[in-house]
Amino acid sequence: MGLFGRFRKRKMPSEKEFAKAFESFQKLCDTDIHDIWNIKNTNHFMTAMNSWICKKCGGGSQMQLLSDQERVIYFTFQLEAEVNNGGFYQFFYNAYGDISADLVASFEAIGAEQTAGICKKAVGVFDENLPADRTQRREFLDRTFTDEMSQVLSECDEEFYSQTDDLEKLNYQFIMKNKAGFS
């Protein structure tokens, strides 16, 4: 299970546990790239790296600032978070849908072949007609989305939730193999 999927099955923390976890999360999110390399816990490392990459590119508004390797990780993180939060339809409808053209290649780059296949099926629902621009994409989805498309995306959701690619491990290994691409 990846960085974001692990939270789906956890019991709700107490207020005190939540406050402590949030404080730890905030510290990870404020970690500088040079300090991230010293984090030993893989999950903490990935949380800090995700936050750092998101900050570097302004939450996706300045993708040109990312290296090719950072873009791969950004794309895989965002897809995983959006699908775990609300499914593929949410991913396509929200701001991150503009990266849909890069999903398959990104998951292939980290070695997540099963996830790449699921993404290919989900993106294929739109016959390559899905606009990259968020406003145009939303208008397109509002105008053309059918029950058949919904069914396929629901199937993709279920396949994603039950897929066996260890996304956290694969992302981590990709980062470690391409360390020079993260600066």
Side-chain angles (χ1 to χ4, degrees), residues 89 92-93 122-131 134-153:
Y89 182 80
F92 291 121
Y93 198 79
V123 172
V125 165
F126 306 106
D127 298 321
E128 299 180 24
N129 295 321
L130 193 63
R134 183 180 188 181
T135 302
Q136 292 174 0
R137 187 174 57 256
R138 283 185 166 188
E139 289 171 0
F140 173 82
L141 290 170
D142 290 341
R143 188 177 63 253
T144 65
F145 200 71
T146 66
D147 289 341
E148 292 82 18
M149 291 174 161
S150 178
Q151 179 62 36
V152 173
L153 291 184

Side-chain angles (χ1 to χ4, degrees), residues 89-101:
Y89 182 80
Q90 176 177 305
F91 171 80
F92 291 121
Y93 198 79
N94 285 346
Y96 296 115
D98 58 356
I99 65 172
S100 60

Side-chain angles (χ1 to χ4, degrees), residues 16-38:
K16 186 177 181 179
E17 291 170 324
F18 180 80
K20 184 178 179 184
F22 185 74
E23 182 180 329
S24 294
F25 176 76
Q26 285 298 110
K27 286 180 184 175
L28 288 172
C29 291
D30 293 334
T31 305
D32 181 77
I33 187 63
H34 303 290
D35 296 325
I36 290 173
W37 299 112
N38 296 320

Side-chain angles (χ1 to χ4, degrees), residues 67-80:
S67 68
D68 291 342
Q69 295 85 0
E70 291 164 342
R71 289 171 60 93
V72 164
I73 297 302
Y74 180 81
F75 296 152
T76 61
F77 279 172
Q78 300 322 313
L79 182 276
E80 183 180 5

